[in-house]
């Protein structure tokens, strides 16, 4: 997955937006103001930090050396993924899981507006 493919995939989700609160180099992808992905898209290797269920986060880290505790984030709830070391399909699933986890924490009215009950 290329940096542009990652960026475009993150922006495909309902109400997703790209912001730069940490400076122009760090893309922060949010849904209704809540972050679900963080990446420096021009970094080598390409990495993305994603929200994750704490139990799943531990399992993923154990099973995949390319997945480590979130860098500069709450390590219980965030993983940092080296994109080039995982299949594109898995990266897409992890991004979608992160988006869904963030949406699940939104008020019901917002979830319904996003078509994600």
């Amino acid at each position: 997955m290329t940096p542009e493919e990652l960026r475009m995939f993150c922006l495909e989700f309902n109400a997703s937006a790209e912001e730069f609160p940490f400076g122009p180099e760090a893309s922060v992808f949010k849904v209704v103001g809540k972050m679900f992905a963080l990446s420096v898209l021009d970094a080598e290797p390409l990495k993305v930090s994603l929200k994750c269920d704490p139990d799943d986060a531990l399992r993923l880290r154990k099973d995949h050396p390319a997945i480590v505790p979130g860098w500069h984030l709450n390590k219980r709830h965030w993983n940092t993924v080296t994109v080039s070391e995982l299949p594109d399909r898995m990266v897409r699933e992890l991004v979608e899981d992160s988006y869904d986890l963030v949406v699940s924490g939104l008020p019901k009215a917002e979830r319904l507006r996003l078509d994600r009950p």
Side-chain angles (χ1 to χ4, degrees), residues 8-69:
M8 294 308 296
F9 185 67
C10 288
L11 292 173
E12 286 178 6
F13 296 102
N14 291 343
S16 65
E18 181 180 21
E19 298 180 10
F20 301 91
F22 306 120
E25 64 282 341
S27 292
V28 175
F29 298 95
K30 295 181 175 184
V31 56
V32 191
K34 303 288 185 182
M35 182 171 75
F36 69 91
L38 166 66
S39 181
V40 176
L41 294 172
D42 61 356
E44 275 293 326
L46 177 62
K47 295 181 181 185
V48 62
S49 293
L50 302 165
K51 193 155 190 173
C52 192
D53 171 81
D55 293 331
D56 290 340
L58 292 173
R59 180 186 52 78
L60 287 165
R61 293 173 200 162
K62 181 179 165 231
D63 294 346
H64 303 280
I67 300 175
V68 298

Coordinates of all heavy atoms in Angstrom, one line a residue, residues 8-69:
M8 N -6.1 7.9 0.8 CA -7.4 7.8 0.2 C -8.3 6.8 0.9 O -9.5 7.1 1.0 CB -7.2 7.5 -1.3 CG -6.5 8.6 -2.1 SD -7.2 10.2 -1.9 CE -8.8 10.0 -2.6
F9 N -7.8 5.7 1.3 CA -8.6 4.7 2.0 C -9.2 5.3 3.3 O -10.4 5.2 3.6 CB -7.8 3.5 2.3 CG -8.7 2.4 2.9 CD1 -9.7 1.8 2.2 CD2 -8.5 2.0 4.3 CE1 -10.5 0.8 2.8 CE2 -9.3 1.0 4.8 CZ -10.3 0.4 4.1
C10 N -8.3 6.0 4.1 CA -8.8 6.7 5.3 C -9.9 7.7 5.1 O -10.8 7.8 5.9 CB -7.6 7.3 6.1 SG -6.5 6.2 6.8
L11 N -9.8 8.3 3.9 CA -10.8 9.4 3.6 C -12.1 8.8 3.0 O -13.0 9.6 2.8 CB -10.2 10.4 2.7 CG -9.1 11.3 3.3 CD1 -8.4 12.2 2.3 CD2 -9.7 12.1 4.5
E12 N -12.1 7.5 2.7 CA -13.3 6.9 2.1 C -14.5 6.7 3.1 O -15.6 6.6 2.8 CB -13.0 5.6 1.5 CG -12.3 5.6 0.2 CD -11.9 4.3 -0.4 OE1 -12.4 3.2 0.2 OE2 -11.2 4.2 -1.3
F13 N -14.1 6.7 4.4 CA -15.1 6.5 5.4 C -16.0 7.7 5.6 O -15.6 8.8 5.5 CB -14.4 6.1 6.8 CG -13.7 4.8 6.7 CD1 -12.3 4.9 6.6 CD2 -14.3 3.6 6.8 CE1 -11.6 3.7 6.6 CE2 -13.6 2.4 6.7 CZ -12.2 2.5 6.6
N14 N -17.3 7.4 6.0 CA -18.3 8.5 6.2 C -17.7 9.5 7.2 O -17.2 9.1 8.3 CB -19.6 7.9 6.8 CG -20.3 7.1 5.7 OD1 -20.1 7.2 4.5 ND2 -21.3 6.3 6.2
A15 N -17.8 10.8 6.9 CA -17.5 11.9 7.8 C -16.0 11.9 8.2 O -15.6 12.5 9.2 CB -18.4 11.9 9.0
S16 N -15.1 11.2 7.4 CA -13.7 11.2 7.8 C -13.1 12.5 7.2 O -13.5 13.1 6.2 CB -13.0 10.0 7.2 OG -13.0 10.0 5.8
A17 N -12.1 13.0 7.9 CA -11.4 14.2 7.5 C -9.9 14.0 7.9 O -9.5 13.4 8.8 CB -12.0 15.4 8.2
E18 N -9.1 14.7 7.1 CA -7.6 14.8 7.4 C -7.3 16.1 8.0 O -7.7 17.2 7.4 CB -6.8 14.5 6.1 CG -5.3 14.5 6.3 CD -4.6 14.3 4.9 OE1 -5.2 14.5 3.9 OE2 -3.4 13.9 5.0
E19 N -6.6 16.1 9.1 CA -6.2 17.3 9.8 C -4.7 17.2 10.1 O -4.1 16.2 10.0 CB -7.0 17.5 11.0 CG -8.5 17.7 10.8 CD -9.3 17.9 12.0 OE1 -8.8 18.1 13.1 OE2 -10.6 17.9 11.9
F20 N -4.1 18.4 10.5 CA -2.7 18.4 10.8 C -2.4 19.2 12.1 O -1.7 20.1 12.1 CB -2.0 19.2 9.6 CG -2.2 18.5 8.3 CD1 -3.2 18.8 7.5 CD2 -1.3 17.4 7.9 CE1 -3.4 18.1 6.3 CE2 -1.5 16.8 6.7 CZ -2.6 17.1 5.9
P21 N -3.0 18.6 13.2 CA -2.8 19.3 14.5 C -1.3 19.2 15.0 O -1.0 20.0 15.9 CB -3.8 18.6 15.4 CG -3.9 17.2 14.8 CD -3.8 17.5 13.3
F22 N -0.5 18.3 14.5 CA 0.8 18.1 15.0 C 1.9 18.7 14.1 O 3.0 18.4 14.2 CB 1.1 16.6 15.3 CG 0.1 16.0 16.2 CD1 -0.7 14.9 15.8 CD2 -0.1 16.5 17.5 CE1 -1.6 14.3 16.7 CE2 -1.0 15.9 18.4 CZ -1.8 14.8 17.9
G23 N 1.4 19.4 13.1 CA 2.3 20.0 12.1 C 2.0 19.4 10.7 O 1.2 18.5 10.6
P24 N 2.6 20.0 9.7 CA 2.3 19.7 8.3 C 2.7 18.3 7.9 O 2.2 17.7 6.9 CB 3.0 20.7 7.5 CG 4.1 21.2 8.3 CD 3.6 21.1 9.8
E25 N 3.6 17.6 8.6 CA 4.0 16.3 8.2 C 3.2 15.2 8.7 O 3.2 14.1 8.2 CB 5.5 16.1 8.6 CG 5.7 16.1 10.1 CD 5.7 17.4 10.8 OE1 5.9 18.4 10.2 OE2 5.5 17.4 12.1
A26 N 2.4 15.4 9.8 CA 1.6 14.3 10.4 C 0.2 14.4 10.0 O -0.5 15.3 10.5 CB 1.8 14.3 11.9
S27 N -0.3 13.4 9.2 CA -1.7 13.4 8.8 C -2.5 12.7 9.9 O -2.2 11.6 10.3 CB -1.9 12.6 7.5 OG -1.4 13.3 6.5
V28 N -3.5 13.4 10.4 CA -4.4 12.8 11.5 C -5.8 12.6 10.8 O -6.4 13.6 10.3 CB -4.5 13.7 12.7 CG1 -5.5 13.2 13.7 CG2 -3.1 13.9 13.3
F29 N -6.3 11.4 10.8 CA -7.6 11.1 10.2 C -8.6 11.0 11.3 O -8.4 10.2 12.2 CB -7.5 9.9 9.3 CG -6.5 10.0 8.2 CD1 -5.2 9.6 8.3 CD2 -6.9 10.7 7.0 CE1 -4.3 9.8 7.3 CE2 -6.0 10.8 6.0 CZ -4.7 10.4 6.1
K30 N -9.6 11.8 11.2 CA -10.6 11.8 12.2 C -12.0 11.5 11.7 O -12.3 11.8 10.5 CB -10.7 13.2 12.9 CG -9.4 13.6 13.6 CD -9.5 14.9 14.3 CE -8.3 15.3 15.1 NZ -8.5 16.6 15.8
V31 N -12.9 11.1 12.6 CA -14.3 11.0 12.3 C -15.1 11.7 13.4 O -14.8 11.5 14.6 CB -14.8 9.5 12.2 CG1 -14.5 8.7 13.4 CG2 -16.3 9.4 11.9
V32 N -15.8 12.7 13.0 CA -16.6 13.6 13.9 C -15.6 14.1 15.0 O -15.9 14.1 16.2 CB -17.8 12.8 14.5 CG1 -18.7 13.8 15.3 CG2 -18.6 12.1 13.5
G33 N -14.4 14.5 14.6 CA -13.5 15.1 15.5 C -12.7 14.2 16.4 O -11.8 14.6 17.2
K34 N -12.9 12.9 16.2 CA -12.1 11.8 17.0 C -11.1 11.1 16.1 O -11.5 10.6 15.0 CB -13.1 10.8 17.6 CG -14.1 11.4 18.5 CD -13.6 11.9 19.8 CE -14.7 12.4 20.7 NZ -14.2 12.9 21.9
M35 N -9.9 11.0 16.5 CA -8.8 10.4 15.7 C -9.0 8.9 15.6 O -9.2 8.2 16.6 CB -7.5 10.7 16.3 CG -6.3 10.2 15.5 SD -4.7 10.7 16.1 CE -4.5 9.8 17.6
F36 N -8.8 8.4 14.3 CA -8.8 6.9 14.2 C -7.5 6.4 13.5 O -7.2 5.3 13.5 CB -10.1 6.4 13.4 CG -10.2 6.8 12.0 CD1 -9.6 6.0 11.0 CD2 -10.8 8.0 11.6 CE1 -9.7 6.3 9.6 CE2 -10.9 8.3 10.3 CZ -10.4 7.5 9.3
A37 N -6.8 7.4 12.9 CA -5.5 7.0 12.3 C -4.5 8.2 12.3 O -5.0 9.3 12.2 CB -5.7 6.5 10.8
L38 N -3.3 7.9 12.4 CA -2.2 8.9 12.4 C -1.0 8.4 11.6 O -0.6 7.2 11.9 CB -1.8 9.2 13.9 CG -0.5 10.0 14.1 CD1 -0.6 11.4 13.6 CD2 -0.2 9.9 15.6
S39 N -0.5 9.2 10.7 CA 0.6 8.7 9.9 C 1.4 9.9 9.3 O 0.8 10.9 9.0 CB 0.1 7.9 8.7 OG 1.2 7.4 7.9
V40 N 2.7 9.7 9.3 CA 3.6 10.6 8.5 C 3.7 9.9 7.2 O 4.5 9.0 7.0 CB 4.9 10.8 9.2 CG1 5.8 11.7 8.4 CG2 4.7 11.4 10.6
L41 N 2.9 10.4 6.2 CA 2.8 9.7 5.0 C 4.0 9.7 4.1 O 4.2 8.8 3.2 CB 1.6 10.3 4.2 CG 0.2 10.1 4.8 CD1 -0.8 10.9 4.1 CD2 -0.1 8.6 4.9
D42 N 5.0 10.6 4.3 CA 6.2 10.6 3.5 C 7.4 9.9 4.3 O 8.5 9.9 3.8 CB 6.6 12.0 3.1 CG 6.9 12.9 4.2 OD1 6.7 12.5 5.4 OD2 7.3 14.1 3.9
A43 N 7.1 9.2 5.4 CA 8.1 8.5 6.1 C 8.5 7.2 5.5 O 7.6 6.6 4.8 CB 7.7 8.3 7.6
E44 N 9.7 6.8 5.7 CA 10.2 5.5 5.2 C 10.7 4.7 6.4 O 11.6 5.2 7.0 CB 11.3 5.6 4.1 CG 10.8 5.8 2.7 CD 10.0 4.6 2.2 OE1 10.4 3.5 2.5 OE2 9.1 4.8 1.4
P45 N 10.2 3.5 6.7 CA 9.0 2.9 6.1 C 7.7 3.6 6.5 O 7.7 4.3 7.5 CB 9.1 1.5 6.6 CG 9.7 1.6 8.0 CD 10.7 2.7 7.8
L46 N 6.7 3.4 5.7 CA 5.4 4.0 6.0 C 4.8 3.2 7.2 O 4.7 2.0 7.2 CB 4.4 3.8 4.8 CG 3.0 4.3 5.0 CD1 3.0 5.8 5.3 CD2 2.2 4.0 3.7
K47 N 4.3 4.0 8.2 CA 3.7 3.5 9.4 C 2.4 4.2 9.6 O 2.3 5.4 9.2 CB 4.6 3.6 10.6 CG 5.9 2.8 10.5 CD 6.7 3.0 11.8 CE 8.0 2.1 11.6 NZ 8.8 2.2 12.8
V48 N 1.5 3.6 10.3 CA 0.2 4.2 10.7 C -0.2 3.7 12.1 O 0.0 2.5 12.4 CB -0.9 3.9 9.6 CG1 -1.2 2.4 9.5 CG2 -2.2 4.7 10.0
S49 N -0.6 4.6 12.9 CA -1.1 4.3 14.2 C -2.6 4.2 14.2 O -3.2 5.1 13.6 CB -0.6 5.3 15.2 OG 0.8 5.3 15.4
L50 N -3.1 3.1 14.8 CA -4.5 2.8 14.7 C -5.1 2.4 16.1 O -4.4 1.7 16.8 CB -4.8 1.7 13.7 CG -4.3 1.9 12.3 CD1 -4.2 0.6 11.5 CD2 -5.1 3.0 11.6
K51 N -6.3 2.8 16.3 CA -6.9 2.4 17.6 C -7.3 1.0 17.5 O -7.6 0.4 16.4 CB -8.2 3.3 17.8 CG -8.7 3.1 19.2 CD -9.5 4.3 19.6 CE -9.8 4.2 21.1 NZ -10.5 5.3 21.6
C52 N -7.2 0.3 18.7 CA -7.5 -1.2 18.7 C -8.1 -1.6 20.0 O -7.7 -1.0 21.0 CB -6.2 -1.9 18.4 SG -6.3 -3.6 18.0
D53 N -8.9 -2.5 20.0 CA -9.4 -3.1 21.3 C -8.2 -3.7 22.0 O -7.3 -4.3 21.4 CB -10.4 -4.3 20.9 CG -10.7 -5.1 22.2 OD1 -11.6 -4.6 22.9 OD2 -10.1 -6.2 22.4
P54 N -8.1 -3.4 23.3 CA -6.9 -3.8 24.1 C -6.5 -5.3 24.0 O -5.3 -5.6 23.8 CB -7.2 -3.4 25.5 CG -8.2 -2.3 25.4 CD -9.0 -2.6 24.2
D55 N -7.5 -6.2 24.0 CA -7.2 -7.6 23.9 C -6.7 -7.9 22.5 O -5.7 -8.7 22.3 CB -8.4 -8.4 24.2 CG -8.8 -8.3 25.7 OD1 -7.9 -8.1 26.5 OD2 -10.0 -8.5 26.0
D56 N -7.3 -7.4 21.5 CA -6.8 -7.6 20.1 C -5.5 -7.0 19.9 O -4.6 -7.5 19.1 CB -7.8 -7.0 19.1 CG -9.1 -7.7 19.0 OD1 -9.2 -8.9 19.5 OD2 -10.2 -7.1 18.6
A57 N -5.2 -5.8 20.5 CA -3.9 -5.2 20.3 C -2.8 -6.1 20.8 O -1.8 -6.2 20.1 CB -3.9 -3.9 21.1
L58 N -3.0 -6.7 21.9 CA -1.9 -7.6 22.5 C -1.7 -8.8 21.5 O -0.6 -9.2 21.3 CB -2.3 -8.1 23.9 CG -2.3 -7.0 24.9 CD1 -2.8 -7.6 26.3 CD2 -0.9 -6.5 25.1
R59 N -2.8 -9.4 21.1 CA -2.8 -10.5 20.2 C -2.0 -10.2 18.9 O -1.2 -10.9 18.4 CB -4.2 -11.1 19.9 CG -4.2 -12.3 19.0 CD -5.6 -12.7 18.6 NE -6.4 -11.6 18.1 CZ -6.3 -11.1 16.8 NH1 -5.4 -11.6 16.0 NH2 -7.1 -10.2 16.4
L60 N -2.4 -9.0 18.3 CA -1.8 -8.6 17.0 C -0.3 -8.4 17.2 O 0.5 -8.8 16.3 CB -2.5 -7.4 16.5 CG -3.9 -7.6 15.9 CD1 -4.6 -6.2 15.8 CD2 -3.8 -8.3 14.6
R61 N 0.1 -7.8 18.3 CA 1.5 -7.5 18.5 C 2.3 -8.8 18.7 O 3.4 -9.0 18.2 CB 1.7 -6.7 19.8 CG 1.2 -5.3 19.7 CD 1.2 -4.6 21.0 NE 0.4 -3.4 21.0 CZ -0.1 -2.8 22.1 NH1 0.3 -3.2 23.3 NH2 -0.9 -1.8 22.0
K62 N 1.6 -9.8 19.3 CA 2.3 -11.1 19.5 C 2.4 -11.9 18.2 O 3.5 -12.5 18.0 CB 1.4 -11.9 20.5 CG 2.0 -13.3 20.8 CD 1.1 -14.0 21.8 CE 1.5 -15.5 21.8 NZ 0.3 -16.4 21.7
D63 N 1.4 -11.8 17.4 CA 1.4 -12.5 16.1 C 2.2 -11.8 15.0 O 2.5 -12.5 14.0 CB 0.0 -12.8 15.7 CG -0.8 -13.7 16.6 OD1 -0.1 -14.4 17.5 OD2 -2.0 -13.8 16.5
H64 N 2.4 -10.5 15.0 CA 2.9 -9.8 13.9 C 4.0 -8.8 14.4 O 3.7 -7.8 15.0 CB 1.8 -9.0 13.2 CG 0.7 -9.9 12.7 ND1 0.8 -10.6 11.5 CD2 -0.5 -10.1 13.2 CE1 -0.3 -11.3 11.4 NE2 -1.1 -11.0 12.4
P65 N 5.3 -9.1 14.1 CA 6.4 -8.2 14.5 C 6.2 -6.8 13.9 O 6.8 -5.8 14.4 CB 7.6 -8.8 13.9 CG 7.2 -10.3 13.7 CD 5.8 -10.3 13.4
A66 N 5.4 -6.6 12.8 CA 5.2 -5.3 12.2 C 4.2 -4.5 13.0 O 4.0 -3.3 12.6 CB 4.8 -5.5 10.7
I67 N 3.6 -5.0 14.0 CA 2.6 -4.3 14.8 C 3.2 -4.1 16.2 O 3.5 -5.1 16.9 CB 1.3 -5.0 14.8 CG1 0.7 -5.1 13.4 CG2 0.3 -4.3 15.7 CD1 -0.5 -6.0 13.3
V68 N 3.4 -2.9 16.6 CA 4.0 -2.6 17.9 C 3.0 -1.6 18.7 O 2.1 -1.0 18.1 CB 5.4 -2.0 17.8 CG1 6.3 -3.0 17.1 CG2 5.3 -0.7 17.0
P69 N 3.3 -1.5 20.0 CA 2.5 -0.5 20.8 C 2.5 0.9 20.1 O 3.6 1.3 19.6 CB 3.1 -0.5 22.1 CG 3.8 -1.8 22.3 CD 4.3 -2.1 20.9

